[in-house]
Amino acid sequence: MVEWPTPLSANPSLQQQRPVDVVPLIEFDISLPSFKKMEMKLNAEILNEQNSRFIETHKPEYHFLAQSLEKKGVQVNDVIKKLQELQVAIPSWALGAGGTRFGRFSYQGEPASLENKISDVGIIHALTNTAGAISLHIPWDIPKDYNAIKELAASLDIKFDAVNSNTFQDQPSMNKSYRFGSLCNTDSSVREIAIQHNLEVIDTGKKLGSNSLTVWLADGSNFPGQQNFQEALQNTKESLKHIYKSMPDDWKLFIEYKPYEPNFYSTVIQDWGTSLMLAEGCGQRAYTLVDLGHHLPNTNIEQIVATLMMKGKLGGFHFNDSKYGDDDLTVGSVKPYALFLIWNELVYGMENNPNNPSPAWMIDASHNIKDPLEDLLQSLEAIQIAYAQALLVDQKGLQEAQKQQDATLCQEILQDAYRTDVRPLLREARLCSSAAIEPIASYRSLNIRNQLIKERGLHTVASGL
Ligand code: LRH
Ligand code: MN
């Protein structure tokens, strides 16, 4: 292990040591027997050289902001530490170009293997120090060599977050179909196939060191009268209980809800209330997972978050943004204020709801036109910005103003935080954890996409949506 060279004039108290091999940008890592050629790995020298381009601008901006925040009583070091501790899982199914039913525009240099995908998450994590986990979708990402995959992930400081089951696509080995549902299906043999699949996904997760399962069901109907709502919900409830009981004692079950798509009349687990009811039906380690895109227009998601935290049943998030439906757009690209209000409830809840475990932070996005890695870098930035702004909210002042029923003052307190440009705090957090001050600028000036194309070719296609 080589000492991480101290970045220029970084703030010593916020220093974070990270296990990094100081090696050339493209390397052959013979220490990992299973890999003849190691994919690209960003190293300290490269990032240091990159940061030297931005440090002169960053430092005065950071000190100006830090001083003005400390005058307001903000513990700036605490905010930065919390930003450094925030680790958001990258979805394995969103490292290539996504598509819609109207087509898919391939992105060159896409990861064609799970190894490639983990390497891409490694690049994002090296640039941001906030993407220290990957969330796999099974069967899209079944490892061929579990030890090699775990070695590669560990060498990049990447953990395995929740594993996702898939009972919305028929598999070649199946002699039945999920066309009319999986865990809700009127045919018990189809329910059994779906349950068995979830148990196999748990096994895969156990081998990788994951400790949570996310279940999202496409189950529902397309026409009035097509499905008996109560029977479908009862079947789903029983099936989930079966899966829950089969989980190791230290595992969590995340039940993800969605109002519609791919079924367009009804969805069995359509909203947070149904998910909460099913989670309570399963047991203590079952929770509701909130995908921001899974709400009907103008739904007050921050109120749902507050309610779930009060119940101790907020399991985690799939962060993305949307204008209309489940658009899976870049986080914070359409409704950044809504994202801030959600994080304000999270900060309040993490302070006042000790009964709710620390939520699992994950992105769930799909990239139709942007470079997938740039899109994910922007999403991580937006999540950190909303969190940092929420950490600046004068929670005591807000509660006092709420007691006084002073709506004007409440808004002033919230928007004072929201209207603070917190990016210098993110930059300092990255600088002090040996990541890139400007991840996207560095991603581009290091020409990483072209390097990936050189290694993988123009036509590789990533598995996933
Ligand atoms: C469903 C969903 C779910 C995943 C899938 C890839 O819309 O959000 O989380 O399984 O996307
Ligand atoms: Mn999702």
Short mmCIF file of all heavy atoms in Angstrom, two decimals, residues 266-306:
data_model
loop_
_atom_site.label_atom_id
_atom_site.label_comp_id
_atom_site.label_asym_id
_atom_site.label_seq_id
_atom_site.Cartn_x
_atom_site.Cartn_y
_atom_site.Cartn_z
N SER A 266 -53.62 -1.56 -14.06
CA SER A 266 -53.36 -1.69 -12.62
C SER A 266 -52.00 -2.32 -12.40
O SER A 266 -51.50 -3.07 -13.25
CB SER A 266 -54.43 -2.56 -11.97
OG SER A 266 -54.20 -3.93 -12.34
N THR A 267 -51.37 -1.99 -11.27
CA THR A 267 -50.13 -2.61 -10.84
C THR A 267 -50.36 -3.09 -9.41
O THR A 267 -50.89 -2.34 -8.57
CB THR A 267 -48.95 -1.61 -10.90
OG1 THR A 267 -48.75 -1.23 -12.26
CG2 THR A 267 -47.67 -2.22 -10.38
N VAL A 268 -50.00 -4.35 -9.12
CA VAL A 268 -50.31 -4.93 -7.81
C VAL A 268 -49.68 -4.08 -6.70
O VAL A 268 -50.36 -3.65 -5.76
CB VAL A 268 -49.84 -6.39 -7.72
CG1 VAL A 268 -50.09 -6.95 -6.32
CG2 VAL A 268 -50.52 -7.25 -8.78
N ILE A 269 -48.39 -3.80 -6.77
CA ILE A 269 -47.73 -2.95 -5.77
C ILE A 269 -47.62 -1.56 -6.38
O ILE A 269 -46.59 -1.13 -6.87
CB ILE A 269 -46.35 -3.51 -5.37
CG1 ILE A 269 -46.42 -4.99 -5.01
CG2 ILE A 269 -45.78 -2.69 -4.20
CD1 ILE A 269 -45.11 -5.60 -4.58
N GLN A 270 -48.75 -0.83 -6.35
CA GLN A 270 -48.87 0.42 -7.09
C GLN A 270 -48.36 1.64 -6.34
O GLN A 270 -48.01 2.64 -6.98
CB GLN A 270 -50.35 0.63 -7.41
CG GLN A 270 -51.21 0.70 -6.14
CD GLN A 270 -52.58 1.25 -6.42
OE1 GLN A 270 -52.73 2.13 -7.24
NE2 GLN A 270 -53.58 0.70 -5.76
N ASP A 271 -48.37 1.61 -5.01
CA ASP A 271 -47.99 2.84 -4.28
C ASP A 271 -47.34 2.53 -2.94
O ASP A 271 -47.25 1.36 -2.54
CB ASP A 271 -49.22 3.72 -4.07
CG ASP A 271 -50.28 2.99 -3.24
OD1 ASP A 271 -49.96 1.92 -2.68
OD2 ASP A 271 -51.40 3.50 -3.16
N TRP A 272 -46.91 3.56 -2.26
CA TRP A 272 -46.13 3.37 -1.02
C TRP A 272 -46.95 2.67 0.04
O TRP A 272 -46.43 1.83 0.80
CB TRP A 272 -45.63 4.72 -0.51
CG TRP A 272 -46.70 5.65 -0.02
CD1 TRP A 272 -47.40 6.54 -0.77
CD2 TRP A 272 -47.18 5.76 1.32
NE1 TRP A 272 -48.32 7.20 0.02
CE2 TRP A 272 -48.21 6.75 1.30
CE3 TRP A 272 -46.87 5.13 2.53
CZ2 TRP A 272 -48.91 7.11 2.46
CZ3 TRP A 272 -47.56 5.49 3.68
CH2 TRP A 272 -48.55 6.48 3.64
N GLY A 273 -48.27 2.94 0.05
CA GLY A 273 -49.12 2.32 1.08
C GLY A 273 -49.18 0.81 0.91
O GLY A 273 -49.09 0.05 1.90
N THR A 274 -49.29 0.36 -0.34
CA THR A 274 -49.34 -1.08 -0.60
C THR A 274 -48.00 -1.72 -0.24
O THR A 274 -47.95 -2.78 0.39
CB THR A 274 -49.67 -1.33 -2.08
OG1 THR A 274 -50.83 -0.57 -2.44
CG2 THR A 274 -49.88 -2.80 -2.36
N SER A 275 -46.92 -1.04 -0.63
CA SER A 275 -45.59 -1.58 -0.30
C SER A 275 -45.41 -1.64 1.21
O SER A 275 -44.95 -2.65 1.75
CB SER A 275 -44.50 -0.68 -0.90
OG SER A 275 -43.24 -1.00 -0.33
N LEU A 276 -45.81 -0.59 1.92
CA LEU A 276 -45.68 -0.56 3.39
C LEU A 276 -46.49 -1.68 4.02
O LEU A 276 -46.00 -2.42 4.89
CB LEU A 276 -46.14 0.79 3.95
CG LEU A 276 -46.15 0.95 5.46
CD1 LEU A 276 -44.75 0.77 6.05
CD2 LEU A 276 -46.73 2.31 5.86
N MET A 277 -47.70 -1.89 3.53
CA MET A 277 -48.56 -2.95 4.08
C MET A 277 -47.89 -4.32 3.89
O MET A 277 -47.82 -5.13 4.80
CB MET A 277 -49.91 -2.93 3.35
CG MET A 277 -50.91 -3.93 3.82
SD MET A 277 -52.32 -4.00 2.69
CE MET A 277 -51.53 -4.89 1.32
N LEU A 278 -47.31 -4.54 2.71
CA LEU A 278 -46.64 -5.82 2.42
C LEU A 278 -45.38 -5.97 3.26
O LEU A 278 -45.09 -7.06 3.78
CB LEU A 278 -46.32 -5.91 0.93
CG LEU A 278 -47.51 -6.03 0.00
CD1 LEU A 278 -47.09 -5.77 -1.46
CD2 LEU A 278 -48.18 -7.39 0.13
N ALA A 279 -44.66 -4.86 3.45
CA ALA A 279 -43.42 -4.91 4.26
C ALA A 279 -43.78 -5.26 5.71
O ALA A 279 -43.15 -6.14 6.31
CB ALA A 279 -42.70 -3.57 4.19
N GLU A 280 -44.81 -4.62 6.22
CA GLU A 280 -45.24 -4.92 7.61
C GLU A 280 -45.73 -6.36 7.69
O GLU A 280 -45.51 -7.05 8.68
CB GLU A 280 -46.30 -3.91 8.04
CG GLU A 280 -45.70 -2.51 8.26
CD GLU A 280 -46.71 -1.48 8.75
OE1 GLU A 280 -47.90 -1.61 8.38
OE2 GLU A 280 -46.30 -0.57 9.49
N GLY A 281 -46.32 -6.84 6.60
CA GLY A 281 -46.81 -8.23 6.58
C GLY A 281 -45.66 -9.23 6.61
O GLY A 281 -45.78 -10.33 7.15
N CYS A 282 -44.52 -8.84 6.04
CA CYS A 282 -43.36 -9.75 6.00
C CYS A 282 -42.63 -9.79 7.34
O CYS A 282 -42.34 -10.84 7.88
CB CYS A 282 -42.39 -9.33 4.90
SG CYS A 282 -42.96 -9.73 3.26
N GLY A 283 -42.30 -8.61 7.85
CA GLY A 283 -41.58 -8.59 9.13
C GLY A 283 -40.67 -7.38 9.28
O GLY A 283 -40.64 -6.50 8.41
N GLN A 284 -39.92 -7.39 10.36
CA GLN A 284 -39.12 -6.22 10.75
C GLN A 284 -38.09 -5.81 9.70
O GLN A 284 -37.84 -4.62 9.53
CB GLN A 284 -38.39 -6.56 12.04
CG GLN A 284 -38.59 -5.48 13.10
CD GLN A 284 -37.57 -5.64 14.20
OE1 GLN A 284 -37.01 -6.75 14.37
NE2 GLN A 284 -37.33 -4.57 14.91
N ARG A 285 -37.51 -6.78 8.96
CA ARG A 285 -36.42 -6.44 8.04
C ARG A 285 -36.92 -6.26 6.60
O ARG A 285 -36.17 -6.42 5.65
CB ARG A 285 -35.32 -7.49 8.11
CG ARG A 285 -34.55 -7.45 9.42
CD ARG A 285 -33.56 -8.59 9.56
NE ARG A 285 -34.25 -9.89 9.72
CZ ARG A 285 -34.32 -10.80 8.77
NH1 ARG A 285 -33.80 -10.57 7.58
NH2 ARG A 285 -34.97 -11.94 8.99
N ALA A 286 -38.20 -5.98 6.48
CA ALA A 286 -38.77 -5.66 5.16
C ALA A 286 -39.13 -4.18 5.14
O ALA A 286 -39.67 -3.66 6.13
CB ALA A 286 -40.00 -6.51 4.88
N TYR A 287 -38.76 -3.51 4.05
CA TYR A 287 -38.93 -2.06 3.98
C TYR A 287 -39.48 -1.64 2.63
O TYR A 287 -39.49 -2.42 1.67
CB TYR A 287 -37.58 -1.37 4.19
CG TYR A 287 -36.92 -1.70 5.51
CD1 TYR A 287 -36.07 -2.79 5.63
CD2 TYR A 287 -37.15 -0.91 6.62
CE1 TYR A 287 -35.47 -3.10 6.84
CE2 TYR A 287 -36.56 -1.20 7.85
CZ TYR A 287 -35.71 -2.29 7.94
OH TYR A 287 -35.13 -2.59 9.17
N THR A 288 -39.88 -0.40 2.54
CA THR A 288 -40.35 0.18 1.28
C THR A 288 -39.19 0.88 0.58
O THR A 288 -38.40 1.56 1.22
CB THR A 288 -41.49 1.18 1.55
OG1 THR A 288 -42.62 0.44 2.01
CG2 THR A 288 -41.88 1.95 0.30
N LEU A 289 -39.07 0.67 -0.74
CA LEU A 289 -38.04 1.35 -1.54
C LEU A 289 -38.74 2.39 -2.41
O LEU A 289 -39.70 2.08 -3.11
CB LEU A 289 -37.26 0.36 -2.40
CG LEU A 289 -36.07 0.97 -3.16
CD1 LEU A 289 -34.87 0.04 -3.14
CD2 LEU A 289 -36.44 1.32 -4.58
N VAL A 290 -38.23 3.62 -2.35
CA VAL A 290 -38.83 4.74 -3.08
C VAL A 290 -38.02 5.03 -4.34
O VAL A 290 -36.88 5.49 -4.26
CB VAL A 290 -38.86 6.00 -2.19
CG1 VAL A 290 -39.43 7.19 -2.96
CG2 VAL A 290 -39.67 5.75 -0.92
N ASP A 291 -38.60 4.73 -5.50
CA ASP A 291 -37.98 5.12 -6.78
C ASP A 291 -38.66 6.43 -7.16
O ASP A 291 -39.88 6.48 -7.33
CB ASP A 291 -38.22 4.04 -7.85
CG ASP A 291 -37.54 4.36 -9.18
OD1 ASP A 291 -37.67 5.51 -9.64
OD2 ASP A 291 -36.90 3.46 -9.76
N LEU A 292 -37.87 7.52 -7.28
CA LEU A 292 -38.46 8.85 -7.47
C LEU A 292 -39.36 8.92 -8.70
O LEU A 292 -40.32 9.68 -8.73
CB LEU A 292 -37.36 9.91 -7.55
CG LEU A 292 -36.46 10.06 -6.32
CD1 LEU A 292 -35.56 11.28 -6.48
CD2 LEU A 292 -37.27 10.15 -5.05
N GLY A 293 -39.08 8.06 -9.70
CA GLY A 293 -39.87 8.10 -10.94
C GLY A 293 -41.16 7.31 -10.86
O GLY A 293 -41.95 7.27 -11.82
N HIS A 294 -41.41 6.69 -9.75
CA HIS A 294 -42.58 5.81 -9.60
C HIS A 294 -43.73 6.50 -8.88
O HIS A 294 -44.31 5.95 -7.92
CB HIS A 294 -42.18 4.52 -8.88
CG HIS A 294 -41.25 3.66 -9.69
ND1 HIS A 294 -40.83 2.42 -9.28
CD2 HIS A 294 -40.65 3.88 -10.88
CE1 HIS A 294 -40.04 1.89 -10.19
NE2 HIS A 294 -39.90 2.77 -11.18
N HIS A 295 -44.03 7.72 -9.30
CA HIS A 295 -45.12 8.48 -8.67
C HIS A 295 -45.95 9.17 -9.75
O HIS A 295 -45.40 9.59 -10.77
CB HIS A 295 -44.57 9.51 -7.69
CG HIS A 295 -43.77 8.88 -6.59
ND1 HIS A 295 -42.42 8.62 -6.69
CD2 HIS A 295 -44.15 8.41 -5.37
CE1 HIS A 295 -42.00 8.04 -5.58
NE2 HIS A 295 -43.03 7.89 -4.76
N LEU A 296 -47.23 9.27 -9.53
CA LEU A 296 -48.09 10.00 -10.46
C LEU A 296 -47.73 11.48 -10.37
O LEU A 296 -47.19 11.93 -9.36
CB LEU A 296 -49.55 9.73 -10.12
CG LEU A 296 -49.95 8.25 -10.26
CD1 LEU A 296 -51.38 8.03 -9.79
CD2 LEU A 296 -49.75 7.77 -11.70
N PRO A 297 -47.96 12.24 -11.44
CA PRO A 297 -47.54 13.65 -11.48
C PRO A 297 -47.96 14.42 -10.22
O PRO A 297 -49.04 14.18 -9.67
CB PRO A 297 -48.26 14.18 -12.72
CG PRO A 297 -48.39 12.98 -13.60
CD PRO A 297 -48.64 11.82 -12.67
N ASN A 298 -47.03 15.27 -9.72
CA ASN A 298 -47.31 16.16 -8.59
C ASN A 298 -47.51 15.44 -7.27
O ASN A 298 -48.05 16.02 -6.32
CB ASN A 298 -48.53 17.04 -8.89
CG ASN A 298 -48.39 17.78 -10.21
OD1 ASN A 298 -47.27 18.20 -10.55
ND2 ASN A 298 -49.45 17.83 -10.99
N THR A 299 -47.12 14.16 -7.20
CA THR A 299 -47.19 13.48 -5.90
C THR A 299 -46.19 14.14 -4.94
O THR A 299 -45.08 14.49 -5.34
CB THR A 299 -46.83 11.99 -6.06
OG1 THR A 299 -47.76 11.38 -6.93
CG2 THR A 299 -46.83 11.28 -4.71
N ASN A 300 -46.59 14.31 -3.68
CA ASN A 300 -45.70 14.91 -2.68
C ASN A 300 -44.80 13.81 -2.10
O ASN A 300 -45.10 13.18 -1.08
CB ASN A 300 -46.51 15.55 -1.56
CG ASN A 300 -45.63 16.32 -0.58
OD1 ASN A 300 -44.48 15.90 -0.34
ND2 ASN A 300 -46.12 17.41 -0.03
N ILE A 301 -43.67 13.57 -2.79
CA ILE A 301 -42.79 12.46 -2.41
C ILE A 301 -42.13 12.72 -1.05
O ILE A 301 -41.96 11.80 -0.24
CB ILE A 301 -41.74 12.21 -3.50
CG1 ILE A 301 -42.41 11.95 -4.86
CG2 ILE A 301 -40.82 11.05 -3.13
CD1 ILE A 301 -41.42 11.83 -6.02
N GLU A 302 -41.79 13.98 -0.76
CA GLU A 302 -41.14 14.26 0.53
C GLU A 302 -42.05 13.91 1.70
O GLU A 302 -41.59 13.48 2.76
CB GLU A 302 -40.66 15.72 0.61
CG GLU A 302 -41.71 16.79 0.40
CD GLU A 302 -41.87 17.21 -1.04
OE1 GLU A 302 -41.53 16.39 -1.95
OE2 GLU A 302 -42.36 18.33 -1.29
N GLN A 303 -43.37 14.04 1.50
CA GLN A 303 -44.30 13.67 2.59
C GLN A 303 -44.32 12.15 2.75
O GLN A 303 -44.36 11.63 3.87
CB GLN A 303 -45.70 14.19 2.31
CG GLN A 303 -46.67 13.95 3.46
CD GLN A 303 -48.06 14.44 3.17
OE1 GLN A 303 -48.38 14.77 2.01
NE2 GLN A 303 -48.90 14.46 4.18
N ILE A 304 -44.24 11.41 1.63
CA ILE A 304 -44.17 9.94 1.69
C ILE A 304 -42.91 9.53 2.45
O ILE A 304 -42.95 8.67 3.33
CB ILE A 304 -44.15 9.35 0.27
CG1 ILE A 304 -45.47 9.61 -0.46
CG2 ILE A 304 -43.82 7.86 0.30
CD1 ILE A 304 -45.44 9.25 -1.94
N VAL A 305 -41.80 10.19 2.15
CA VAL A 305 -40.53 9.89 2.83
C VAL A 305 -40.66 10.12 4.34
O VAL A 305 -40.26 9.28 5.15
CB VAL A 305 -39.40 10.75 2.24
CG1 VAL A 305 -38.13 10.67 3.09
CG2 VAL A 305 -39.11 10.33 0.80
N ALA A 306 -41.28 11.24 4.71
CA ALA A 306 -41.46 11.56 6.15
C ALA A 306 -42.31 10.48 6.83
O ALA A 306 -41.98 9.99 7.91
CB ALA A 306 -42.12 12.93 6.28
#
